[in-house]
Structures are given as C-alpha cells and as structure tokens.
Amino acid sequence: MSITLDQVTKRYQGAPVVNDVSIDIGDGEFFVLLGPSGSGKSTLLRAVAGLTAVDHGRISLHGRDVTHVSARKRGVGLVFQNYALFKHMSVADNIEFALRVRRMSAAKRRERRRELLRLVALEGMDERLPTQLSGGQQQRVAVARALAHKPEVLLLDEPFGALDAKIREELRRTIRQVQRELGITTVLVTHDQEEAFALADRIGVMNLGRLLELGRPDELYTRPTTRFVATFLGAANLLLARQTRDGLRFGAADSLPGESTPGAREHEVVAVIRPEEVELAASQAGLSSDYLGSGTVDEVAFTGALEAIRIRLSDGAAESLLARTPNGEGAALLEVTRTQHEQRAFSIVPGQSVAIGVRRIHVLPTPLSSFTAYAHTEAAAAELSRHALLQELATRMKTRVSVRVLEAHATISGAAVIAANPDSVAQIEWLLRHGAEEVLILPAVASAPQRVLIHWADESARSATLAVAASLLRHVAAEGIYVGILPNSTPDGQRPQGMRALLDARSEAQAVHGLEMRTELRFGDVADALARRLAESPDQILILGISQIAGIAERFHALLGSQPRWPVLVVYRPADNPP
Amino acid sequence: MTSWRQPSVLPGFGLTFGFTVFFLSGIVLLPLASLILMATSMHWREFLAVILDPRAIGSYRLSFGASLLAATINLIFGFIIAWTLVRYEFPGRKIIDALIDMPFALPTAVSGIALTTVFAQNGWIGRYLEPLGIKVAYTWIGVTVALTLIGMPFVVRSVQPALAEVQRDLEDAAETLGAGRFYVFRRIILPTVLPALLTGFTLAFARAVGEYGSVIFISGNLPMKTEITPLLIVIHLEEFDYKGAAALGFVMLVISFVMLLTINLLQAWGRKRLVATGH
C-alpha cells in the first residue's frame, strides 16, 4: 500500500472536521477524494502532506509511519488550487526549488528541469516569471515543481478550481498523462463529480468529515449505498417504496420487479432512479420497460446532447417521489434525460401526458427511509413534525416527514417519531406492535447531536442497531460511541469477555457498515448506566436496539419511564425474524 | 496635455493636477526655495564658517548617525513586531496593535520627558543600568532610544500589510518541497516583504533626522557630544542668526535628500534585479 490512513481524526475547536477516516491507496493508483466544501477532504489531504497534525489515527506512506514526520521529510509533492508559485522567482527557479534545497549541482538541476518542463509541455518557458503565464500554465509549473524531488506521492488540492472549462479539461488530460507516465500514486481533492469520474481509478466520497463510500466510479454511480452519494454523484430521483416479496411497490402502483432481498419482510426502502433510466412513451403499451405510472410533462430543456425533462407524476408512484424539502413544499418532479435518439423516436412538448417506464431501479440498503410524526391529534403530530432536530435530520437524509394520528390504524412506514411525554413507553409499545421498526423519542428541546451513543440490549438487534447508527452518522457530524455495559456483579474473571464484546462490536461496525466508532465500558443496570451516560452532556442521542417488546416499560424505566429527557431512537428487530 | 490623460473613474484631471501643483509648490517647494535663497544670500566664506564649525560637524554626526542606527534597530524589531501581530492570535493583540500608533499621536516632547524619566540615573531602568556603567540619558544612546521610539510605527505599519499578503500556501509549498524554516524565511518571506521593509526604513530614517522635541529632553544638549543639528538651528534662531540657521538647514536638506535618493534608487534597482533574475 502506498498510502494508508488508519482512523484519522482531526478536530477543530472540538468538532471533528475529519472523522475516523481509514483508506488504503495502492501503488500508482489515482485516487480522488470527492465531497462538497467543508466535507473535510482538503484537511485530510493536508494531513497526508504533513501540513496539518492529526488528533488521532495513523498515516503511513509506503509502509513508513509518518504520522509525526514533518512535511519537509515526508517526500510528497503538493499542488494548490491557487498555484502558490513563488512570484519573485522564474519558472526555472520555481521548479528547481526543491533541488536547490537538496543542494543538487547546477548541471543536474538543469537536466531535471528540462525533463519536467517537457513532461508538462512548457519547454522554453524557463526564464518567464509566473505573472507572465496564464493560469493553466502556472498550474503546470506548480505540477512540475511538486514533482521535481521525485516524491513518492503526488497530492493535488482542487488544482483546476481557478481555471475555466476548456483549460481545465486540457490540464486534466496532462495530469492524467503525467501520472500514468510516472506511475506515481496520486490523490486529488475535488468537489466536481465530473472531474472525479474523468480521473479516478477509485473515488472516496466525503461528507461532514466522514468517508461515506469508496469504490470505482462506475460502482459508485450504479450502486451507491447512501442517499448522499446517490444524489451527489450525478442526478438521481429518490422514491420511497415498499419492498414486498414480489418486488417494489411505489404508492398505489403495481409492484415492479426490483433487486429483491429474499427472506425480508415487507418494509419501506429508498429507491434511486437515474434520470437516464426513465423511459417515456405515449401509452403503457408503448413502453419496453416496467411501467411506473403516468404523468404530465412540466418542462423540457434542450442541453445539447441530452434533453432534460421534468415530469409531474399524476398517479401510481406520485406520492412516493421525495420532494426536495422534508415538508413536501413544492410538488416533486421526476427528472428525466433522453438522448437524441430517444427524442427522435418520441418527441414531447410541455403539457403532454406520457406513460413512464423504468429500466433500472437501485434500492439503497439504508434503514431510516422516512420519518412519520405520531401524536394523539393531527395538530400535535403536525407540530412535532416541525421539531427542529427532526427537520434537520430529514433535510440531511433527503427524506420526508409525514404526519399520523396515534392509534388510528395504518401501516407504519419508516421511522416513527413521538414527542417525549409521561406516556412514551406505552406509545412506543403500541407503535412497535403495529409494525414500526424504529421509534424516535424527541424531547421538546434537542440540539443537533455531537455524539451518538449506541447500545443494544438484546443480541439479536445488534446488526440492525449498527445499520441504523451507521445511517444516522453519515448524515450528522457526530462521533459514534458504542457503550458496552456489564452488570455490577460481573466477576473480575469475566471482564475481559466484556472487552472482547466491545472490540467485536467495533470491528463489525467497521467491516459491515464502514462505520468507525469509539467504545466505552460501563457497569451497572443497563437503563441506569445509559441514563447516567446521557446526563453527562446535553448534545447526545441514544440508539437503543431491542428485540423484545414485552417488559419494555420495566426494563428501561430509568430511560423511558417518566418523561424522557434525551432523544432516544429505539431500534426493534424481533429475534425470530432476522432482518 | 491631452495625451497624458488616462481614462479614470474620477473626472477632472485639470482640477486635481492644479491642486497637486499648488500644494507641492505652496507648501513644499516655496519654503524650501526660500531656505536655499536665504542660505545662498550669505557670503560663501561666512557660509562655510557656519557649516564647517566643529560644533556643527559634531551635530551632523550625531543626527545622521543616531538616525541611521535607530532606523536599523526599527528595521529588525519593527519586522518582528509586525510578524507577531500578523501571524499570531493572542489575547490583547488588538491592544498591542493600537499601542503601535502611540508614538504618532503623542506630542514628541511628552515622549522625550517620559523617556528621560525612565532612563535618567535614578529612573526605573536607568538606575539598574548605572552600576553596569551604561548611561542612557544625556548620551548618544539616549538620542538613539528617542529616535527609535518615534520611528518604530513607520516600519511596523509598512511591513504589516506586506506580511499579511504572504500566503500561507507559499510557505506550505516550500515546506513540502523540503525547505526548512530559515530557508523559507530567507528565500520566500524576506524577498516578498523587502520593498515594504525598505520603505519603512526610509520613513523611519527621515522622521528621525527631522526629530526635535523628544531628543532635546533626553540628550542633555552638550555641544559636540549630544547636540543634534535641529537643536543647533534653534540655537542660531534664538540668537537671531537667521542666515546661520538657514545654512545649517540647507546642509541637512542636502544630506537627507542624497540619502533618501540613494535608498530609493537601491530599492528600485533591487526590484528590477528581483524581476530580472528571480532572486
């Protein structure tokens, strides 16, 4: 491995900007770190370069642990967005800088400089000053300068950010060529998914300091596992669907054969439909793919090679399409792109009715598909649905918050939400008995969590609890902490077993969900210990996994009995029916 | 005329140019001309006698020597102060930043009295220097201290914006290329702020040469030893010897002009060399 990052964490004023990131980058690989601004990708790159010290974790370059090695001794080449050329030096002196520092002879320096200038196609520019060059040329000089001392690793921090589209593409090609020619391990940081696709052997997508997903560009595009990656890499329509034994059902529409998960009981899922996987025809009979529903064309825009269309669904799947805001303000429109070929076969105009078919649906393997606020009256439920924390979670998870009245019978979809009240336990019980798998209890005042505490009281709820925790942690900038609890009566001889359970939980979280979490060991009664842990600071949320509904009031009296004071997300999976 | 005009956001080249000429002539050139005229109206023998008087020559040496020394001290310490203020975030930074300008605002006589109190033989600092055989007040050292005080803001204020402009990225880049701290300072930071540093030096020097108020309190004004040229001029004036005063003023004018011109030319040459060879 050329670059190994192991649980790298960087905090800034207490808040993690890089949160437990582990990556292995192979020799000669072109790796792209992709993410929106503020996702921690540049900080991570600076940590690899040695310009930023990490608070936790290890960084190795070619097997050498460099976590505490200074930038000047790491042997990396770094290219900045604003070029960072030494303006008072000529191109030649800029490129030879690293060689001069190493006291290389003038003749050797000149030879190396020639070689580098040829590599970046800037022959004969030796005596120019940076200010006499165009932006693209300056960045080429910066690349040559970063390669002068034959670094083992080349790091590029948004290198095309300041350039216009045409130059950008040209420079992109040069960099790819240089990288191939030298076979140098390269890490590039960008927020531009097109750039990432064009350059990367592998992409790591970051958000809120976490590495969400890692994989080949085509893998990440066709089979994303998170909502964030699905919508950040290219355009995506997100729909809520019910996964049934026959396939996927969108709203009132008939079931479509989807990627089925055999053995699973019926539950709500989030489906991704890429705009190019939608087929349009005049009638259902004219479709060659599975029928999703019908709709009216709202908008048609010509964008060159492709035609961008937005369609208002009129039946079937209409209510399953997720709008951009969790309140459902503004009707959700299905985004469709069509090639010239498709346009010629069936041309459409705004206002026209069309039949919609889907060629390919990808189901995200994430729990917490949507939220439903429950209360005894519609008004109270509506008020709960506007809870700040709930709205924030829903916005970040790009999902919706629906409103339902408690004890009115309906199928329960997604995570149920109730307001903390003296009667919480009874309500939780009712919801769980009526099909809810997750219940979130919200006190009136709850801020965005800094720490997510994780505990499962029953072993069979373990993997579901971890999946829910992983899903939540991808959407909030918080630390995950698994709280292991041993009874006070545990004899000393058995304590190592408790430790082993902690480590097992941690490695499972990492292996199965790509989730890094800390672990803590507490002693005492489960509910008491958790309540005490929650009382330590206000900005925490507890994810509690259980697989028995009976006796919940007695078992968790300290946590849920009287009016709960902290946000608690109960994850229920019955023991006999593994998810 | 019209060919000199450049399109500009502010209209009225005629008006602004008129003002420029008026102010320069009325406030700078005319008084200087009268000074020269007065000096040249003397007989040359008389003129030489005044300006080559040993007491006068002693005063030139002190005035220009102490000013150069003070400006050099300011060059070094002013840079360090500016560096601290630009690069570090610490409690009280804003207060220190405001304190820098104090010597500008204080009447110079006040700084002179304050310095004398501190550095006199029984002053707060003077009493500890006395046993070491170092006398500050009433010696050339005192003069240098006073001139350093009044010149310091010039260096700090010229260097601060230039330092703030040295991008951290440049230092980071140099560091990843293997350069140590001193190398980065010498090859990256210093060349970038050198013009501003020289400007600050020039301003501090010019101010020190013309300084009067603060020095006369701390210098003790011993003829040949701690007497600065501006004081000698005042002494001539008090004796109603206007011509003698003008003659000394003329000499100061010439020496200052030559020195400032030299610094400016050096600076221009340095900039050109920097651009030409990249060093």
Side-chain angles (χ1 to χ4, degrees):
Chain A
M1 282 301 145
S2 201
I3 305 175
T4 304
L5 304 181
D6 185 18
Q7 294 180 13
V8 172
T9 298
K10 171 74 186 172
R11 288 190 185 80
Y12 188 70
Q13 292 177 342
V17 284
V18 173
N19 203 344
D20 263 328
V21 173
S22 301
I23 310 176
D24 282 326
I25 299 170
D27 281 330
E29 186 173 354
F30 200 121
F31 190 89
V32 173
L33 272 175
L34 179 67
S37 58
S39 58
K41 56 193 192 304
S42 284
T43 308
L44 188 59
L45 194 78
R46 289 178 61 85
V48 175
L51 295 170
T52 298
V54 299
D55 293 313
H56 177 76
R58 281 205 325 274
I59 299 172
S60 312
L61 299 179
H62 293 280
R64 179 171 70 116
D65 186 338
V66 296
T67 316
H68 302 291
V69 173
S70 75
R72 52 184 295 230
K73 294 195 174 123
R74 283 207 189 176
V76 301
L78 181 55
V79 175
F80 297 81
Q81 172 169 11
N82 59 9
Y83 325 133
L85 291 179
F86 308 133
K87 292 202 177 54
H88 58 284
M89 296 185 190
S90 65
V91 167
D93 286 324
N94 263 288
I95 293 176
E96 289 179 20
F97 187 87
L99 309 177
R100 258 181 223 272
V101 171
R102 288 167 177 72
R103 305 190 186 288
M104 193 183 267
S105 74
K108 276 189 174 168
R109 286 203 313 255
R110 197 163 51 240
E111 190 184 319
R112 179 86 183 122
R113 186 220 309 166
R114 292 252 160 83
E115 204 178 302
L116 287 161
L117 281 173
R118 181 198 57 74
L119 202 62
V120 297
L122 278 181
E123 289 110 323
M125 298 280 195
D126 309 57
E127 295 312 319
R128 299 276 188 95
L129 280 173
T131 45
Q132 297 167 326
L133 301 177
S134 70
Q137 289 172 326
Q138 289 191 46
Q139 198 56 299
R140 282 163 195 265
V141 175
V143 171
R145 183 182 67 178
L147 290 169
H149 52 302
K150 302 195 170 158
E152 295 172 332
V153 168
L154 178 63
L155 307 173
L156 306 148
D157 190 1
E158 302 251 11
F160 316 116
L163 302 170
D164 58 54
K166 200 140 209 159
I167 311 258
R168 192 180 282 220
E169 207 160 302
E170 206 178 292
L171 188 59
R172 196 191 281 168
R173 218 166 290 133
T174 309
I175 285 186
R176 191 64 172 127
Q177 220 169 334
V178 168
Q179 195 265 341
R180 289 235 173 87
E181 194 170 328
L182 302 178
I184 184 171
T185 311
T186 302
V187 181
L188 179 136
V189 158
T190 183
H191 61 269
D192 182 342
Q193 48 112 353
E194 195 188 325
E195 206 169 285
F197 282 154
L199 288 168
D201 291 325
R202 273 194 311 160
I203 297 175
V205 185
M206 286 187 76
N207 190 33
L208 300 170
R210 278 187 189 277
L211 181 73
L212 292 189
E213 286 184 53
L214 189 78
R216 289 202 326 264
D218 57 321
E219 271 173 14
L220 289 185
Y221 185 75
T222 51
R223 311 184 70 83
T225 55
T226 62
R227 277 167 269 218
F228 181 83
V229 173
T231 51
F232 192 71
L233 285 183
N237 296 294
L238 292 185
L239 293 91
L240 290 176
R242 286 200 79 77
Q243 175 90 59
T244 65
R245 278 180 223 288
D246 312 326
L248 287 174
R249 204 174 67 232
F250 293 93
D254 295 334
S255 288
L256 295 182
E259 295 159 57
S260 65
T261 43
R265 60 204 180 109
E266 189 177 318
H267 63 287
E268 189 180 65
V269 294
V270 179
V272 177
I273 300 177
R274 295 280 180 200
E276 67 272 18
E277 303 288 1
V278 179
E279 188 194 359
L280 301 178
S283 68
Q284 190 174 348
L287 291 171
S288 59
S289 56
D290 297 320
Y291 178 67
L292 181 75
S294 63
T296 324
V297 177
D298 194 76
E299 193 186 306
V300 181
F302 175 72
T303 63
L306 296 171
E307 183 186 44
I309 304 164
R310 292 165 140 233
I311 293 176
R312 190 179 304 275
L313 295 172
S314 48
D315 69 346
E319 69 191 55
S320 59
L321 187 58
L322 285 172
R324 283 170 206 289
T325 55
N327 278 334
E329 293 154 12
L333 297 172
L334 188 74
E335 290 184 29
V336 181
T337 54
R338 299 200 309 165
T339 61
Q340 293 275 353
H341 173 72
E342 288 171 290
Q343 292 169 41
R344 278 192 295 274
F346 173 53
S347 73
I348 55 172
V349 291
Q352 187 176 341
S353 290
V354 287
I356 302 158
V358 190
R359 298 188 190 97
R360 186 175 169 277
I361 299 174
H362 172 64
V363 174
L364 296 178
T366 79
L368 298 179
S369 48
S370 70
F371 294 101
T372 307
Y374 280 89
H376 284 295
T377 64
E378 183 118 6
E383 167 148 13
L384 176 61
S385 76
R386 287 190 294 272
H387 191 289
L389 180 55
L390 183 57
Q391 280 293 318
E392 192 177 334
L393 285 178
T395 307
R396 291 196 172 174
M397 299 181 134
K398 298 183 165 62
T399 189
R400 74 161 62 126
V401 182
S402 327
V403 170
R404 291 274 163 82
V405 177
L406 266 170
E407 284 160 29
H409 280 269
T411 331
I412 293 174
S413 292
V417 184
I418 57 170
N421 63 68
D423 220 13
S424 294
V425 180
Q427 294 177 357
I428 297 168
E429 260 197 76
W430 183 86
L431 287 164
L432 294 180
R433 289 200 191 284
H434 287 80
E437 294 187 313
E438 292 96 19
V439 180
L440 173 64
I441 303 102
L442 280 179
V445 178
S447 52
Q450 292 288 314
R451 274 167 293 278
V452 176
L453 307 181
I454 303 156
H455 181 81
W456 46 89
D458 302 309
E459 195 54 30
S460 27
R462 174 171 68 175
S463 81
T465 310
L466 281 174
V468 169
S471 180
L472 186 71
L473 280 166
R474 286 191 194 106
H475 296 97
V476 295
E479 277 182 290
I481 303 172
Y482 171 71
V483 184
I485 300 168
L486 289 179
N488 266 331
S489 55
T490 311
D492 281 353
Q494 275 178 28
R495 294 199 172 186
Q497 280 177 354
M499 288 308 291
R500 196 169 314 138
L502 286 189
L503 296 178
D504 285 351
R506 182 174 166 162
S507 50
E508 181 177 339
Q510 201 177 342
V512 181
H513 305 285
L515 166 68
E516 300 282 355
M517 58 180 194
R518 291 200 287 133
T519 52
E520 283 179 12
L521 189 56
R522 301 269 162 154
F523 293 93
D525 170 65
V526 169
D528 282 341
L530 289 173
R532 262 184 279 125
R533 182 64 185 83
L534 279 167
E536 282 171 20
S537 104
D539 47 3
Q540 310 188 94
I541 183 172
L542 170 68
I543 299 182
L544 178 65
I546 55 170
S547 45
Q548 282 171 27
I549 302 177
I552 183 171
E554 296 78 46
R555 281 175 81 196
F556 301 105
H557 182 77
L559 269 179
L560 310 169
S562 50
Q563 181 157 337
R565 282 178 291 152
W566 307 280
V568 178
L569 178 56
V570 176
V571 178
Y572 166 69
R573 292 292 188 282
D576 55 341
N577 197 352
Chain B
M1 245 328 244
T2 46
S3 61
W4 301 347
R5 290 193 186 189
Q6 295 285 325
S8 150
V9 283
L10 289 178
F13 172 74
L15 195 66
T16 48
F17 189 72
F19 265 118
T20 311
V21 171
F22 171 76
F23 274 109
L24 268 180
S25 339
I27 294 177
V28 182
L29 287 180
L30 227 63
L32 284 182
S34 78
L35 177 73
I36 294 168
L37 203 71
M38 198 178 268
T40 49
S41 69
M42 292 170 85
H43 191 270
W44 65 272
R45 208 184 286 276
E46 197 187 346
F47 179 75
L48 282 185
V50 174
I51 66 163
L52 294 181
D53 181 55
R55 195 170 158 192
I57 292 194
S59 81
Y60 304 149
R61 209 175 47 222
L62 179 65
S63 259
F64 290 99
S67 296
L68 263 183
L69 185 59
T72 310
I73 293 170
N74 278 330
L75 186 75
I76 298 163
F77 291 95
F79 177 83
I80 295 173
I81 292 172
W83 177 266
T84 313
L85 289 176
V86 170
R87 282 308 170 92
Y88 301 103
E89 199 60 57
F90 52 90
R93 193 178 70 101
K94 287 259 153 56
I95 295 171
I96 294 182
D97 199 44
L99 274 178
I100 301 291
D101 290 327
M102 283 304 283
F104 276 153
L106 225 54
T108 47
V110 178
S111 4
I113 294 167
L115 282 177
T116 313
T117 324
V118 172
F119 285 106
Q121 284 171 29
N122 53 0
W124 291 348
I125 298 179
R127 83 175 76 152
Y128 299 108
L129 293 177
E130 176 74 15
L132 303 174
I134 302 168
K135 277 171 108 178
V136 177
Y138 317 123
T139 65
W140 65 270
I141 303 177
V143 177
T144 310
V145 169
L147 295 181
T148 307
L149 173 82
I150 53 119
M152 199 262 300
F154 290 99
V155 177
V156 177
R157 289 291 180 242
S158 326
V159 175
Q160 245 176 335
L163 261 183
E165 234 172 68
V166 181
Q167 296 163 346
R168 272 292 169 80
D169 284 355
L170 292 183
E171 290 162 51
D172 288 344
E175 209 186 328
T176 56
L177 294 170
R181 283 178 183 206
F182 182 67
Y183 197 90
V184 173
F185 177 77
R186 196 163 59 87
R187 300 298 298 270
I188 309 295
I189 298 171
L190 206 55
T192 318
V193 300
L194 199 60
L197 213 49
L198 277 178
T199 304
F201 177 81
T202 315
L203 288 172
F205 172 72
R207 174 71 206 272
V209 170
E211 178 58 16
Y212 173 75
S214 60
V215 180
I216 54 165
F217 285 97
I218 200 169
S219 68
N221 307 322
L222 298 171
M224 307 290 298
K225 282 194 177 147
T226 61
E227 194 174 55
I228 55 169
T229 317
L231 180 74
L232 206 54
I233 294 174
V234 172
I235 291 171
H236 277 281
L237 286 178
E238 280 170 348
E239 293 164 357
F240 304 105
D241 178 13
Y242 295 122
K243 288 191 173 174
L248 287 177
F250 179 73
V251 172
M252 281 200 87
L253 193 69
V254 170
I255 301 180
S256 300
F257 184 73
V258 169
M259 291 183 91
L260 292 177
L261 190 68
T262 312
I263 296 173
N264 278 335
L265 286 177
L266 261 174
Q267 206 174 335
W269 172 74
R271 202 176 298 144
K272 205 175 285 169
R273 202 179 71 109
L274 210 87
V275 167
T277 67
H279 287 282

